[in-house]
């Protein structure tokens, strides 16, 4: 379990930076070499390479073998873990609240019937 | 989600807080009341597959609450104490899931009515940033809210890629 948490720590740390998020956004559309990834940013290729290293250590990307281009591509695994993270807590309340919706409908139906009954009782008197 | 189509938001706030917001199509008095007794809470507490096996609610400041829910041999115990009650505006209670004993949050549930609908905002304050993150099952860093929004976009793209 500790290693799963460590992995998640690394994933979140890597995602905390806007440049790295932008790089991941770009890679979601397909693999790309460093030169291309550096283009949209006012940043040198070595600076982009540093970001890529962080992403690679976090397991968010993999690098190709081609020594010249070393194209980067997205690895979906850690992102899925992040998605699972939100699930437990969210699901508990989401489902509870959906049930509360239904229950409130029931209660309101009852109340409306009761009011109707009170009114008709009243008119009899 | 699908049943009502209503959106619940979960937002990390600062280091130690999580804020959940949800709107209900009912007046405030009623939504508040649904939070005040076992009779009511047994009807909606927890995911659908669980049934409330045991419930004790002493709805007054200083009173204790305890809910046990169960499904297919799996059992979860939640408990805490009411700290403050302002009818029908606000409930403050402590919340402890016995799956992580000793890690207690203080939750304030605020009820606001507008046009016959009620917005319920729950602010959970944890003892430590680690507790907050454990509850969210994550090593979440502060400032994640923005990351999280963007992450949704990535995941959508990934899902589409996987599907195609």
């Amino acid at each position: 379990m500790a290693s799963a948490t460590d992995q998640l720590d690394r994933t979140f740390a890597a995602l905390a930076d806007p440049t790295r998020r932008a790089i991941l956004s770009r890679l979601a559309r397909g693999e790309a070499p460093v030169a291309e990834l550096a283009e949209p940013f006012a940043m040198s290729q070595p600076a982009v390479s540093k970001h890529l290293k962080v992403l690679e250590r976090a397991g968010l990307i993999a690098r190709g073998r081609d020594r010249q281009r070393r194209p980067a591509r997205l690895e979906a695994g850690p992102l899925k873990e992040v998605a699972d993270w939100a699930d437990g807590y969210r699901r508990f309340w989401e489902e509870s609240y959906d049930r509360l919706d239904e229950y409130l409908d029931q209660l309101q139906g009852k109340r409306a019937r009761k009011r109707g009954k009170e009114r008709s009782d009243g008119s009899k008197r | 989600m699908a049943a009502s189509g209503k959106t619940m938001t979960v937002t990390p706030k600062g280091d130690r807080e999580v804020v959940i917001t949800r709107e209900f199509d009912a007046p405030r008095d009623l939504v508040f009341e649904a939070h005040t007794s076992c009779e009511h809470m047994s009807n909606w507490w927890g995911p659908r597959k669980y049934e409330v096996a045991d419930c004790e609610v002493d709805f007054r400041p200083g009173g204790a609450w305890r809910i046990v829910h169960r499904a297919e041999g799996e059992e979860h115990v939640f408990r805490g104490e009411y700290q403050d009650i302002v009818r029908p505006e606000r409930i403050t209670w402590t919340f402890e899931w016995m799956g992580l004993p000793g890690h207690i949050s203080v939750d304030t549930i605020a009820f606001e009515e507008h046009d016959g609908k009620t917005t319920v905002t729950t602010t959970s304050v944890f003892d430590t940033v680690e507790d907050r993150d454990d509850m969210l099952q994550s090593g979440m860093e502060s400032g994640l809210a923005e990351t999280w929004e963007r992450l949704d976009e990535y995941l959508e793209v990934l899902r589409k890629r996987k599907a195609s």
Side-chain angles (χ1 to χ4, degrees):
Chain A
M1 274 325 278
S3 69
T5 310
D6 289 351
Q7 174 63 58
L8 219 41
D9 277 347
R10 276 196 296 274
T11 305
F12 278 114
L15 289 171
D17 179 271
T19 304
R20 290 197 286 272
R21 290 199 295 267
I23 290 172
L24 289 176
S25 273
R26 165 62 192 84
L27 292 177
R29 298 200 303 271
E31 68 167 46
V34 179
E36 194 186 320
L37 290 172
E39 253 168 45
F41 309 105
M43 211 178 273
S44 66
Q45 283 196 27
V48 169
S49 288
K50 244 182 216 170
H51 284 303
L52 290 177
K53 262 187 201 131
V54 175
L55 291 169
E56 196 175 6
R57 270 203 301 273
L60 286 163
I61 64 163
R63 309 290 300 275
R65 294 200 173 193
D66 179 342
R67 284 221 152 257
Q68 298 297 306
R69 294 171 64 244
R70 301 227 49 209
R73 63 166 188 281
L74 205 58
E75 289 283 315
L79 287 177
K80 190 183 169 303
E81 265 179 51
V82 175
D84 290 345
W85 148 75
D87 264 14
Y89 194 73
R90 183 181 277 270
R91 212 185 299 135
F92 183 93
W93 287 109
E94 220 157 47
E95 211 163 322
S96 291
Y97 281 164
D98 282 348
R99 294 178 66 190
L100 180 54
D101 267 337
E102 294 165 16
Y103 182 57
L104 289 167
D105 279 351
Q106 272 181 38
L107 287 177
Q108 289 189 98
K110 263 188 214 157
R111 277 199 171 179
R113 278 197 299 278
K114 211 173 155 193
R115 270 201 300 277
K117 194 168 175 287
E118 274 163 10
R119 264 199 296 278
S120 61
D121 284 355
S123 65
K124 272 180 208 158
R125 266 179 227 134
Chain B
M1 257 313 263
S4 65
K6 288 221 176 83
T7 312
M8 186 185 85
T9 62
V10 181
T11 316
K13 188 178 153 197
D15 280 348
R16 299 190 294 125
E17 294 177 29
V18 176
V19 182
I20 297 182
T21 308
R22 174 67 145 77
E23 188 183 82
F24 295 93
D25 200 1
R28 177 164 77 168
D29 284 348
L30 196 65
V31 183
F32 184 91
E33 201 184 311
H35 282 74
T36 61
S37 71
C38 286
E39 185 204 334
H40 288 311
M41 287 162 84
S42 300
N43 283 286
W44 62 269
W45 178 273
R48 244 172 254 282
K49 71 168 183 168
Y50 294 97
E51 71 168 331
V52 171
D54 194 17
C55 177
E56 294 156 41
V57 166
D58 183 10
F59 193 68
R60 59 182 177 88
W65 68 273
R66 183 172 176 275
I67 295 176
V68 181
H69 70 197
R70 194 179 291 156
E72 298 146 17
E74 200 188 327
E75 194 175 272
H76 294 286
V77 181
F78 303 85
R79 71 172 190 192
E81 191 176 280
Y82 294 98
Q83 291 191 335
D84 190 27
I85 295 168
V86 183
R87 193 181 283 266
E89 291 169 20
R90 197 170 70 233
I91 299 168
T92 302
W93 68 3
T94 58
F95 183 105
E96 184 178 19
W97 169 49
M98 296 316 283
L100 273 176
H103 298 262
I104 301 164
S105 64
V106 179
D107 300 354
T108 298
I109 310 163
F111 304 80
E112 285 171 293
E113 188 175 308
H114 42 88
D115 306 325
K117 294 181 183 190
T118 302
T119 301
V120 176
T121 305
T122 303
T123 305
S124 299
V125 184
F126 294 85
D127 279 345
T128 63
V129 62
E130 288 80 13
D131 278 5
R132 192 269 304 264
D133 294 351
D134 279 350
M135 194 41 119
L136 292 178
Q137 294 170 3
S138 86
M140 186 167 58
E141 302 224 330
S142 51
L144 183 68
E146 188 201 347
T147 306
W148 179 240
E149 281 167 22
R150 285 160 184 255
L151 196 56
D152 269 342
E153 297 166 16
Y154 300 146
L155 291 168
E156 194 48 44
V157 174
L158 287 176
R159 274 193 289 272
K160 277 183 192 146
R161 269 177 77 198
K162 257 199 178 160
S164 63

